[in-house]
Amino acid sequence: MISHRQKPATPWLLIVLFIVISASSILLGYFYYKSQKTRLLNDKRLELSAIADLKVRQIAQWRNERIGDAILIGENTPFLKLLSEYLHGTNNKVLRSDIIENLQSITRSIEYKNILLIDSSGNVRGYYPNQDTLMGEHLKLLFPGLIKLKSGILTDLHRTSNVSYIHLDLVIPLLNTWKKDSTLFGLLTLRIDPNEMLYPLVQTWPVPSKTAESLIIRQEGDKIIYLNRLWFKKNSELVLQKSVSEEKLPAAMAVRGIEGTTDGVDYRGATVVAAMKKVPGSPWYMIAKIDQNEVFSALNEQMTMIIIIIILFILTAGLLLGVLEWNENVRFYREKYEAEVDHLALRKHFDYILKYANDIIFLTDRNLIIIEANDRASEAYQRDRDELIGMSLSKIRAPGAVKELENESRILDEKGYATYETVHIRKDGSIMPVEISARKVEIEGVKYFQSICRDITERKFAEETLRESEERFRKIFEESPISIVMTGKDLGIIRANSAFCKMLGYKEEELKSVTLRHFTHPDYIAGDDVSLLRLVAEEIPVYHTENRYIRKDESVIWGSATISIIRNNNDEVQYFLAMIEDITLRKEAEAELIAAKEKAEESDRLKTAFLHNVSHEIRTPMNAIIGFSALLNEPDTPEADRRQFIEIIFQSGSQLLSIINDIVDIANIESGQVKLNIKEMNLNSSLRILDEQFSYKEKADVISINLHTGLPDEKALIITDGTKIIQVLSNLINNATKFTQKGRIDFGYSLKDGNLEFFVKDTGIGIPPEHHDKIFERFFQVDHLISRKFGGTGLGLSICKAYVELLGGKIWLSSNPGKGTDFRFTIPYIITPKSK
Ligand code: ADP
């Protein structure tokens, strides 16, 4: 993304991160220092406490040892006796040298620098060595108390004028213990130089240290007296004094009764850690102390390292974050640079587009005054760029389109963009339809409109052509006498013309929810599907078929269909276009033609059979007539034979006549010359005569012919062509006799629904059902061989049918092969006035 910022943003995050890292490092260092300090201080306190303890015990022990020395000497009776003797006696030189010798042996112990032998009056009577021969003022002051002593004591450290060094004395009372009532007879004072033992005991420090120091003090009134030589103050022993009330002074705290360890300020004013303890059995207090500076010096060194590390760490973090920020800045400036480059490229690109664009590009101000126009605009409007700039947009609008300009610019201003079509005008006044895509742009707070205008003259022309072509197609489609239907890929109907609707009896809107299969007769659907697949696969260019279709009223029609595919630009199937021609009439005509042809062929075949029959039927009686006529000529033919021959000739003649009559009748029927001869008929009596006529055909016990009259005689007087009825009935009875070998023949009539229904019923060979329709056709015979055997031409039943229909009735049959046949026909029952 191109950055539009002028400056890189302040890296607050990095700064905060840096502060957090720095603060945490410093805090970490601080807490570490604190904890280390506390730990060191505690360690040092423990150490000081242990050292003070040790020293106090050593000093106490040293003092005890001195008191022990006093007891040892005080209980040495021989030595005491010697001393007593010497002190009570005179200047016995021998005794004196003995005593000196003894004192000398005592001073061999380095502790004791000088020994004085004092009598009970306070006079020095002996000494060793001989530095001090007098009792010092310190001892003199104590003397009244000392002579009351029962056991040895140690005096405190003190300085006297006659002794050059600070010392303390072990005063041993000399008692004559060997007497019953022991009394003091003198004192032995052993002077102790503390530099020899006591001070080293106090001052030596067990571990090397620059500021560690242990010292002993005692209280004198409200003062504290430092008893030993101090490390940092020369010649301070018994000289340096401090006030008991000094709050932070460990020595003052000790004399105030505080024991243990403390932080404080020592005699120099330096901050120290100190341990304080009282030396038991003495007025002394032990102070062991060390400068806090020394305690913390190692830590301070370590802390210096840690501080350096922290500083380095912070610097490194700062550096890293700085590098990050620097990188960010570099990236920012690089992006800025790239954005500048992109901007420049974009600008060049834009200039290029503006110059060479195929579309007209305008920039106008909000008053629609052109402030920039490209070369294409100059070319299109036939105006120079200079001429265009400063011109109002309305000037390049066709007069009819100017009034819309205001509304269009308002919409553009509101929505920010607009696309519309309008008409522009060139300088020469020619019109140019354009498509405009306009956008509102804001530069530095000023509104501009940028519009891209495309000359759509060609497109408009193409649209118009397309529209006309579509209109033409629509007209052809709609007005075509051939049914046309457009379906989708699934054969769902999209559009159907009126011929199609009419052909199938639907309204167009009823077709919208169905497919072409809905109308296709089920016998053709599978075949259609296969062929349509072949069509889609481009195996066949179009698909022609002749199908049956089902109309809305469920009647079936024939259609000749031509189905083609309409594909889209990607060659995908989009529509099927089916043109269907109603060929029902043609199909019916064809069927009739075929039927007629078949009929003609059948008729031909029947005629051939008829000719065979006729020739046989004619030849048989003719031969009989000719043959028996010749025999009649024979003179010697007996009379009986002659009569029989005449009978045969007569019958053959009748047979011949019947055949000729049949042929004549059929010829008359065919030529339409048969006329009805309607008159009164006595039906019952006519039928009785017919019954009688056929009685000759009855064979006893084998075949009987029975008449059934359906009306009483008085009702049987009717108006009709009686001859024809009798001819029909005799034909039927004749056939019945021909085809019935055994059983009975019943004939007669009954009145049914105002008609007379006649019947001729036999128990003969019967007629197979498939021939029931054909039986009334001319020349038809079920079995030529059988018929030939019985005689006949196949004309009888067709004559019957023609006559019955002429009489206004109909004829039919029912038959069971092997069981018999029942022929029936009707005629209207028209009675004569007499029959009522
Ligand atoms: P035909 O002169 O040959 O008898 P028809 O027209 O009278 O001619 O009869 C046609 C054919 O109908 C006969 O050849 C015969 O095969 C059949 N037929 C007619 N009547 C009967 C019947 N009662 N029983 C059986 N077959 C019959």
Coordinates of all heavy atoms in Angstrom, one line a residue, residues 613 662 731-732 735-736 738-740 762 764-767 775 777 780-783 787 791-798 821 823, ligand 1:
N613 N -65.7 -69.7 -59.0 CA -66.9 -70.2 -58.4 C -68.1 -70.2 -59.4 O -68.7 -71.2 -59.7 CB -67.4 -69.3 -57.2 CG -67.0 -69.9 -55.9 OD1 -66.4 -71.0 -55.9 ND2 -67.4 -69.3 -54.8
D662 N -78.7 -63.6 -58.6 CA -77.7 -63.0 -57.6 C -76.8 -62.0 -58.3 O -76.6 -60.9 -57.8 CB -76.8 -64.1 -57.0 CG -77.5 -64.7 -55.8 OD1 -78.7 -64.3 -55.5 OD2 -77.0 -65.6 -55.1
N731 N -82.2 -66.4 -48.3 CA -80.8 -66.5 -48.4 C -80.2 -67.0 -47.2 O -79.3 -67.9 -47.2 CB -80.2 -65.1 -48.7 CG -79.7 -64.9 -50.1 OD1 -79.5 -65.9 -50.8 ND2 -79.6 -63.7 -50.5
L732 N -80.6 -66.4 -46.0 CA -80.0 -66.8 -44.7 C -80.4 -68.3 -44.4 O -79.5 -69.0 -43.9 CB -80.5 -65.9 -43.6 CG -80.1 -64.4 -43.7 CD1 -80.8 -63.5 -42.7 CD2 -78.6 -64.3 -43.6
N735 N -78.3 -70.6 -46.5 CA -77.0 -70.7 -46.0 C -77.0 -71.7 -44.8 O -76.2 -72.5 -44.6 CB -76.4 -69.4 -45.5 CG -75.8 -68.6 -46.7 OD1 -75.6 -69.2 -47.8 ND2 -75.6 -67.3 -46.5
A736 N -78.0 -71.4 -43.9 CA -78.1 -72.3 -42.7 C -78.2 -73.7 -43.0 O -77.6 -74.6 -42.4 CB -79.3 -71.8 -41.8
K738 N -77.2 -75.0 -45.7 CA -76.0 -75.5 -46.3 C -74.9 -75.9 -45.3 O -74.2 -76.8 -45.5 CB -75.4 -74.4 -47.2 CG -75.9 -74.4 -48.6 CD -75.0 -73.7 -49.6 CE -75.2 -72.2 -49.5 NZ -74.3 -71.4 -50.4
F739 N -74.8 -75.1 -44.3 CA -73.7 -75.3 -43.3 C -74.1 -76.0 -42.0 O -73.4 -75.9 -41.1 CB -73.1 -73.9 -43.0 CG -72.5 -73.3 -44.3 CD1 -73.1 -72.2 -44.8 CD2 -71.4 -73.8 -44.9 CE1 -72.6 -71.6 -46.0 CE2 -70.9 -73.2 -46.0 CZ -71.5 -72.1 -46.6
T740 N -75.3 -76.6 -42.0 CA -75.7 -77.3 -40.8 C -76.0 -78.8 -41.3 O -76.9 -79.1 -42.1 CB -77.0 -76.7 -40.2 OG1 -76.8 -75.4 -40.0 CG2 -77.4 -77.4 -38.9
D762 N -78.8 -71.3 -36.5 CA -78.6 -72.7 -36.8 C -77.6 -73.3 -35.9 O -77.1 -72.6 -35.0 CB -78.1 -72.9 -38.3 CG -76.8 -72.3 -38.5 OD1 -75.8 -72.5 -37.7 OD2 -76.6 -71.4 -39.5
G764 N -75.0 -75.1 -37.0 CA -74.1 -75.6 -38.0 C -72.6 -75.4 -37.6 O -72.3 -75.3 -36.4
I765 N -71.8 -75.2 -38.6 CA -70.3 -75.2 -38.4 C -69.8 -73.9 -37.7 O -68.7 -73.8 -37.2 CB -69.5 -75.5 -39.7 CG1 -69.8 -74.4 -40.7 CG2 -69.8 -76.8 -40.3 CD1 -68.9 -74.4 -41.9
G766 N -70.7 -72.8 -37.9 CA -70.3 -71.6 -37.2 C -69.3 -70.8 -38.1 O -68.7 -71.3 -39.1
I767 N -69.1 -69.6 -37.7 CA -68.1 -68.7 -38.4 C -67.1 -68.1 -37.4 O -67.5 -67.5 -36.4 CB -68.9 -67.5 -39.1 CG1 -69.9 -68.1 -40.1 CG2 -67.9 -66.6 -39.9 CD1 -70.9 -67.1 -40.6
I775 N -67.7 -61.0 -43.6 CA -68.7 -62.0 -44.2 C -69.7 -61.3 -45.1 O -70.2 -61.9 -46.0 CB -69.4 -62.7 -43.0 CG1 -69.8 -64.1 -43.4 CG2 -70.5 -61.9 -42.4 CD1 -68.7 -65.1 -43.2
E777 N -69.0 -58.8 -47.0 CA -68.4 -58.3 -48.2 C -68.7 -59.2 -49.4 O -68.8 -60.4 -49.2 CB -66.9 -58.2 -48.0 CG -66.5 -57.0 -47.1 CD -65.1 -57.0 -46.8 OE1 -64.3 -57.7 -47.5 OE2 -64.7 -56.2 -45.8
F780 N -67.0 -62.8 -50.5 CA -66.3 -63.4 -49.4 C -66.8 -64.8 -49.0 O -68.0 -64.9 -48.8 CB -66.2 -62.5 -48.2 CG -65.4 -63.0 -47.1 CD1 -64.0 -62.8 -47.1 CD2 -65.9 -63.8 -46.1 CE1 -63.2 -63.3 -46.1 CE2 -65.1 -64.3 -45.1 CZ -63.7 -64.1 -45.1
Q781 N -65.9 -65.7 -48.9 CA -66.4 -67.0 -48.4 C -65.3 -67.4 -47.4 O -64.1 -67.3 -47.6 CB -66.4 -68.0 -49.6 CG -67.6 -67.8 -50.5 CD -67.6 -68.7 -51.7 OE1 -66.6 -69.0 -52.3 NE2 -68.8 -69.2 -52.0
V782 N -65.8 -68.0 -46.3 CA -64.9 -68.4 -45.2 C -63.9 -69.4 -45.7 O -62.7 -69.3 -45.6 CB -65.6 -69.0 -44.0 CG1 -64.7 -69.5 -42.9 CG2 -66.5 -67.9 -43.4
D783 N -64.4 -70.4 -46.3 CA -63.6 -71.5 -46.9 C -64.1 -71.9 -48.3 O -65.2 -72.4 -48.4 CB -63.6 -72.7 -45.9 CG -62.6 -73.8 -46.3 OD1 -62.3 -73.9 -47.5 OD2 -62.0 -74.4 -45.4
S787 N -67.3 -74.1 -49.3 CA -68.4 -73.4 -50.0 C -68.6 -74.0 -51.4 O -69.8 -74.1 -51.8 CB -68.0 -71.9 -50.2 OG -67.8 -71.3 -48.9
G791 N -71.9 -75.3 -52.8 CA -72.3 -74.3 -53.8 C -72.4 -72.9 -53.2 O -72.4 -72.7 -52.0
G792 N -72.4 -71.9 -54.1 CA -72.5 -70.5 -53.6 C -71.4 -69.7 -54.3 O -70.4 -70.2 -54.8
T793 N -71.7 -68.4 -54.3 CA -70.8 -67.4 -55.0 C -70.2 -66.4 -54.1 O -69.4 -65.6 -54.5 CB -71.6 -66.7 -56.1 OG1 -72.8 -66.1 -55.4 CG2 -72.1 -67.6 -57.2
G794 N -70.7 -66.4 -52.8 CA -70.2 -65.4 -51.9 C -70.9 -64.0 -52.1 O -70.3 -63.0 -51.7
L795 N -72.0 -64.1 -52.7 CA -72.8 -62.8 -53.0 C -74.0 -62.7 -52.1 O -74.4 -61.5 -51.8 CB -73.2 -62.7 -54.4 CG -72.1 -62.5 -55.5 CD1 -72.7 -62.7 -56.9 CD2 -71.4 -61.2 -55.3
G796 N -74.5 -63.8 -51.6 CA -75.7 -63.8 -50.9 C -75.8 -62.8 -49.7 O -76.7 -62.0 -49.7
L797 N -74.8 -62.9 -48.8 CA -74.9 -62.0 -47.6 C -74.7 -60.5 -48.0 O -75.3 -59.7 -47.3 CB -73.8 -62.5 -46.6 CG -74.1 -63.7 -45.9 CD1 -72.9 -64.1 -45.0 CD2 -75.3 -63.6 -45.0
S798 N -73.9 -60.3 -49.0 CA -73.8 -58.8 -49.4 C -75.1 -58.3 -50.0 O -75.4 -57.1 -49.7 CB -72.6 -58.6 -50.3 OG -72.7 -59.4 -51.5
T821 N -74.6 -70.5 -35.8 CA -74.6 -69.1 -36.2 C -76.0 -68.5 -36.0 O -77.0 -69.2 -36.2 CB -74.2 -69.0 -37.7 OG1 -73.0 -69.8 -37.8 CG2 -73.9 -67.6 -38.0
F823 N -77.9 -65.2 -37.3 CA -78.0 -64.0 -38.1 C -79.2 -63.2 -37.7 O -80.3 -63.8 -37.5 CB -78.1 -64.3 -39.6 CG -76.7 -64.6 -40.3 CD1 -76.3 -65.9 -40.5 CD2 -75.9 -63.5 -40.7 CE1 -75.1 -66.1 -41.1 CE2 -74.7 -63.8 -41.3 CZ -74.3 -65.0 -41.5
Ligands
ADP1 P1 -72.6 -68.3 -50.8 O1 -73.4 -68.0 -51.9 O2 -71.2 -68.7 -51.0 O3 -73.3 -69.0 -49.7 P2 -72.9 -66.0 -49.0 O4 -72.7 -64.6 -49.2 O5 -74.4 -66.4 -48.8 O6 -72.3 -66.8 -50.3 O7 -72.2 -66.6 -47.9 C1 -70.8 -66.3 -47.8 C2 -70.1 -67.3 -46.9 O8 -70.6 -67.1 -45.6 C3 -70.3 -68.6 -47.2 O9 -69.6 -69.1 -48.3 C4 -70.1 -69.3 -45.9 O10 -68.7 -69.6 -45.9 C5 -70.5 -68.4 -44.9 N1 -71.8 -68.6 -44.3 C6 -73.0 -68.0 -44.6 N2 -74.0 -68.4 -43.8 C7 -73.4 -69.4 -43.0 C8 -74.0 -70.2 -42.0 N3 -75.3 -70.1 -41.7 N4 -73.2 -71.1 -41.4 C9 -71.9 -71.1 -41.7 N5 -71.3 -70.4 -42.7 C10 -72.1 -69.5 -43.3

